[in-house]
Amino acid sequence: MTLTEDDKKTVEKYALQNAVKYGQAPQIGAVMGRVMGECPHLRSKAKEVTPFIQEILGEVSKETPEQWQARLEKIAPELIEELCTKKEPDKGLKDLDVEEGQQVVMRFAPNPNGPPTLGSTRGIVVNSEYVKKYGGKFIIRFDDTDPQTKRPMLEAYDWYIDDCKWLGADPDEVVIASDRIPIYYDYARKLIEMGHAYVCFCDGADFKKFKDAKQACPHRDTSPEENLKHWEKMLSGDYEEKSAVLRIKTDIRHKDPALRDFGAFRIVKTPHPRPDVADKYCVWPLLDFEGAIEDHELGMTHIIRGKDLMDSEKRQSYIYGYLGWTYPKTTHWGRVKIHEFGKFSTSGLRNAIEEGEYSGWDDPRLPTLRALRRRGIMPEAIRKFMIDMGVGETDISISLDTLYAENRKIIDQKANRYFFVWNPVSIEITGTEPRTVTPPLHPTEKRGNREISVGSELCICKDDADKLSIGSKIRLKDLYNIEITSLEPLQASYLDDSIETVKKEKMRIIHWAPVDGVPVTVLSPDGTFQGTGERQIATELDNVVQFERFGFCRIDDVDKEIVAYYTHK
C-alpha cells in the first residue's frame, strides 16, 4: 500500500512539529502516535506504512531548524500555537529568601569516602547554581572527621574537586574539616565553661535507658571545672574508645528522644588516612557539631539539606542558641529515587569493588560520576537533569531515561555514525566485485564521509543472521541488496544497488562490517558486547559516536582494540 496525499501531509506536519519542539530530527515513535490518532484507518496497517513514514522523517531530518519552523508555520500554524501555549510543568530552582545587599554563601559538604555519585551530584549542581544566580560564594567542605566507620579515601578529595570542575561547579573555596580540629576543640571548651556541655562516661546502652526515661545521667551535673579536666584527659588519650563522650546539654525531657543530650565528640584512636593528620588527634567531632561550627565559621547564609536531616538542624540550633548565633536559612528537599540504581551506599559500593564485583569506581554499572563521564554523559545534561528536579520536600522517583534524553539532545548532532557488528557471523556474497563505499559520517550534518572497503565476504550480527531463511532479501545499509542462497555456510547473491527495490520488496535493512575490521569491545550496564567494526572508529578516541542500530558509545581506548563504553540508545 501507499500513503494518500492527505496522509503524507499529516505525517509531514507532525514530523515538523516534533522536530521544532525538541530541536532535533523527528522521532518516529512520537510522530507515529500523533499520526495514528488522526488517521485511524492506518492503525491496522502500522507495519506496512512505517517504511513510508520513515522516508518522510528522513527527508525532514535533512533540513535545518529554521526550515522546520518556516514549513510548519506554512502548512500547520495551529501546531506552532499548540507548542507555544502548552504549559510545561514547574521546573528549575525557586528563588531564595535573600536579604538586600546580602552575599549568598552556600556549601556542598561530602564525606570523601568515595567519589561523587549521581545522588550527591544534586547537591553540587543546585548549590553552585544558586550561587551563580545570586553572585555569591560556593564552598566545598569535606566532612572527613570519621576516620573509622566512614573512613575517607585519599583519592576521593581530588575526585570531588575534579568532578565539580567538570560539572561547571568550580568551588570558590575548599575546606577540609580534619585540618580544623583545633577550632572545634576551642568551641567545645567554651561550651563546657558555659555549662552547656559535659563529659559522659555512661555505657551506650545505659545512657539510652536514661535518655528514654527522660532522666539525666549521673555525669550531667558535673561542674564545668571537672568537665574541663575530663576533656583534657580525653584529648591526651587517657581514656579508651567508647569510655567517654562529650555531650551537648539540651532538654533531657524533650518529647523527641533524638534531641536529648546528643553526642558532640567521641574517642577514635584509628589514625586518619591523611598523612598530615594521621594520629595527631584521638578525639573527633560528630557531624552535627562539626557542621554547626563550620556553617557559622564559613558564613553560610543558606543551607539545602534532605528533609530526613531536620533533626540535625534542631540539634545544631541548641549550639547556635548557646553561642548567640543566627542559624542559616534552610530549605529541605525530598529523597530522589533513580529507578535503574535502586538503593545503594558508597560504603557498599566500595566493598563490592574490593571484592571484585565491579572493575572500579568507573565501572559502567555504577551510579558514580566517574562512570557516567566515562560512558559519555555530558555535564550540561547532568546539570539540566538536576536543576529540572527543583527543590521541594516531595520525594522524586525518576528514570535515567530523562537524563539520557537531555544527553541525546547534546550529542546527537556531534556524534559520527559507524557500523559495529556484535556477535559477528560471516556471510559470503557472490555476483559482485570488491568496492569501497563512502557512507556519511552524520545523516544531517555535512562533515564528510567515511570509507569502507569490502570484498566478497563481510560480517553481520548473529541476531540478524538467525532471522534469515533461504530466499530472504535484505538491504545491507549503504551497500547493496542481496538474496540469501544458503544458511550453512551463510551465503547470498548480489541483487542490485537500488533503493527502489528496497521499497518495492519491503526489505529489511541491516548494518554490516568488513571481515578485516577492527576488534571492538563495548562495556555497558547490561554486560559486555564483542565484535568487529570499521577501522575509522580508531580516530574517535575520547569522542562519543553512534554505532548504528546499537546506540551511542564513548571510545575509551584504541591501542590494541577498540574499547568503548555504552552511553545510551
Side-chain angles (χ1 to χ4, degrees):
M1 67 163 293
T2 59
L3 296 177
T4 66
E5 287 303 313
D6 285 344
D7 291 339
K8 289 180 180 178
K9 288 179 181 178
T10 300
V11 174
E12 184 181 15
K13 73 179 183 181
Y14 285 125
L16 287 168
Q17 185 195 36
N18 185 264
V20 170
K21 181 176 181 180
Y22 295 106
Q24 63 180 12
Q27 302 297 304
I28 189 167
V31 175
M32 284 281 284
R34 297 300 299 269
V35 170
M36 295 302 170
E38 189 165 318
C39 305
H41 60 283
L42 297 178
R43 293 174 188 167
S44 62
K45 304 171 183 176
K47 287 187 178 180
E48 297 174 52
V49 302
T50 296
F52 299 101
I53 293 177
Q54 287 176 322
E55 184 179 354
I56 294 173
L57 265 61
E59 292 300 317
V60 171
S61 297
K62 296 176 183 178
E63 300 174 354
T64 66
E66 292 76 17
Q67 290 172 316
W68 296 335
Q69 183 85 18
R71 286 184 59 202
L72 187 58
E73 289 175 352
K74 182 177 179 180
I75 69 173
E78 71 279 4
L79 294 185
I80 290 283
E81 184 178 347
E82 179 182 310
L83 288 176
C84 295
T85 58
K86 187 173 181 180
K87 186 179 185 301
E88 290 291 324
D90 290 336
K91 293 182 178 180
L93 306 181
K94 61 185 179 182
D95 291 341
L96 292 177
D97 179 11
V98 179
E99 298 171 9
E100 187 175 350
Q102 182 182 40
Q103 184 194 30
V104 171
V105 181
M106 302 182 74
R107 47 76 169 169
F108 174 66
N111 178 346
N113 64 331
T117 63
L118 199 52
S120 58
T121 300
R122 189 185 187 194
I124 297 172
V125 169
V126 170
N127 281 285
S128 68
E129 195 68 19
Y130 268 128
V131 164
K132 289 178 182 177
K133 180 177 180 178
Y134 291 102
K137 183 178 182 181
F138 177 50
I139 297 173
I140 295 292
R141 185 184 78 222
F142 290 110
D143 288 343
D144 62 341
T145 57
D146 184 353
Q148 191 175 67
T149 308
K150 293 188 175 182
R151 187 170 176 79
M153 288 182 63
L154 290 178
E155 309 96 314
Y157 296 86
D158 288 337
W159 287 344
Y160 264 99
I161 301 303
D162 180 54
D163 283 344
C164 284
K165 291 179 178 178
W166 178 76
L167 284 167
D170 294 46
D172 298 297
E173 184 179 352
V174 176
V175 174
I176 301 178
S178 59
D179 282 339
R180 297 160 64 83
I181 301 300
I183 296 174
Y184 314 138
Y185 287 174
D186 287 345
Y187 280 111
R189 288 189 185 92
K190 185 176 292 187
L191 289 167
I192 293 171
E193 290 168 353
M194 297 169 72
H196 297 309
Y198 64 97
V199 176
C200 172
F201 295 97
C202 292
D203 175 85
D206 290 339
F207 182 80
K208 186 178 185 304
K209 292 177 183 177
F210 288 122
K211 183 180 71 172
D212 291 346
K214 300 181 181 181
Q215 295 178 1
C217 86
H219 316 102
R220 194 176 196 266
D221 295 327
T222 304
S223 69
E225 293 77 18
E226 283 298 309
N227 274 314
L228 282 172
K229 291 178 183 178
H230 294 317
W231 171 248
E232 293 301 329
K233 286 186 176 181
M234 284 180 66
L235 299 184
S236 299
D238 292 353
Y239 299 132
E240 296 303 314
E241 290 186 4
K242 299 183 180 181
S243 65
V245 174
L246 184 73
R247 297 189 179 280
I248 302 296
K249 285 185 182 178
T250 62
D251 177 1
I252 199 62
R253 302 188 63 80
H254 196 284
K255 62 181 180 180
D256 184 353
L259 303 186
R260 300 173 195 161
D261 286 19
F262 62 90
F265 286 82
R266 80 290 199 208
I267 299 170
V268 177
K269 296 193 175 181
T270 302
H272 197 279
R274 293 181 64 220
D276 291 346
V277 181
D279 56 359
K280 186 185 293 185
Y281 309 108
C282 64
V283 176
W284 291 91
L286 290 159
L287 193 56
D288 281 337
F289 187 90
E290 178 256 308
I293 300 303
E294 287 293 6
D295 285 338
H296 173 76
E297 284 284 311
L298 297 174
M300 224 54 62
T301 60
H302 298 78
I303 296 173
I304 302 174
R305 58 159 52 109
K307 64 181 182 181
D308 56 315
L309 296 177
M310 287 183 178
D311 280 350
S312 289
E313 180 178 341
K314 294 173 184 175
R315 286 190 286 267
Q316 291 175 340
S317 293
Y318 280 99
I319 298 171
Y320 273 69
Y322 295 149
L323 296 172
W325 299 341
T326 300
Y327 203 83
K329 294 172 183 175
T330 307
T331 300
H332 297 97
W333 56 19
R335 293 177 179 272
V336 174
K337 177 184 178 182
I338 298 174
H339 300 313
E340 289 81 353
F341 292 126
K343 290 185 177 180
F344 63 87
S345 69
T346 302
S347 56
L349 295 179
R350 185 173 179 175
N351 291 336
I353 290 170
E354 290 173 353
E355 292 170 4
E357 184 177 343
Y358 300 112
S359 60
W361 289 103
D362 56 3
D363 187 296
R365 295 168 290 175
L366 295 185
T368 61
L369 270 191
R370 306 195 76 72
L372 293 172
R373 287 175 66 171
R374 200 165 190 184
R375 285 175 54 188
I377 304 298
M378 298 292 112
E380 307 95 306
I382 295 175
R383 287 189 71 87
K384 190 168 190 309
F385 178 67
M386 295 299 173
I387 291 169
D388 282 353
M389 284 187 200
V391 180
E393 291 191 18
T394 303
D395 291 343
I396 298 171
S397 183
I398 196 167
S399 169
L400 280 180
D401 287 342
T402 306
L403 174 60
Y404 296 159
E406 291 296 341
N407 199 60
R408 193 175 295 110
K409 294 176 188 177
I410 298 168
I411 65 175
D412 186 59
Q413 299 301 310
K414 301 176 182 178
N416 288 332
R417 272 53 169 178
Y418 294 98
F419 291 153
F420 159 59
V421 172
W422 59 100
N423 296 331
V425 173
S426 176
I427 180 171
E428 183 180 355
I429 315 294
T430 60
T432 184
E433 297 295 323
R435 65 172 74 182
T436 297
V437 292
T438 56
L441 281 167
H442 194 279
T444 60
E445 301 293 312
K446 295 179 180 179
R447 54 171 174 261
N449 298 69
R450 67 231 207 224
E451 290 188 358
I452 316 173
S453 296
V454 59
S456 62
E457 189 177 0
L458 50 81
C459 294
I460 63 174
C461 286
K462 186 176 185 302
D463 288 346
D464 289 325
D466 289 345
K467 296 173 184 175
L468 299 176
S469 58
I470 294 177
S472 295
K473 296 178 180 180
I474 56 174
R475 170 76 177 183
L476 296 174
K477 192 174 188 299
D478 298 315
L479 187 56
Y480 44 59
N481 306 322
I482 60 173
E483 180 176 354
I484 303 302
T485 56
S486 170
L487 296 178
E488 293 185 14
L490 189 57
Q491 296 176 331
S493 61
Y494 167 79
L495 293 175
D496 57 37
D497 292 3
S498 174
I499 294 295
E500 291 303 317
T501 304
V502 178
K503 297 176 182 177
K504 182 179 178 181
E505 299 283 348
K506 299 176 184 176
M507 292 182 181
R508 286 180 58 229
I509 301 174
I510 67 172
H511 70 295
W512 52 277
V515 289
D516 61 349
V518 63
V520 178
T521 297
V522 177
L523 304 172
S524 87
D526 298 321
T528 300
F529 296 83
Q530 293 183 314
T532 185
E534 301 175 41
R535 290 190 172 278
Q536 200 168 329
I537 299 170
T539 65
E540 298 278 2
L541 181 63
D542 290 332
N543 293 335
V544 175
V545 302
Q546 185 183 49
F547 289 149
E548 300 199 35
R549 299 180 69 222
F550 184 80
F552 292 96
C553 295
R554 180 187 152 275
I555 307 304
D556 189 76
D557 189 5
V558 297
D559 188 12
K560 295 180 180 178
E561 66 169 343
I562 304 295
V563 178
Y565 275 67
Y566 181 75
T567 308
H568 50 65
K569 282 290 186 183

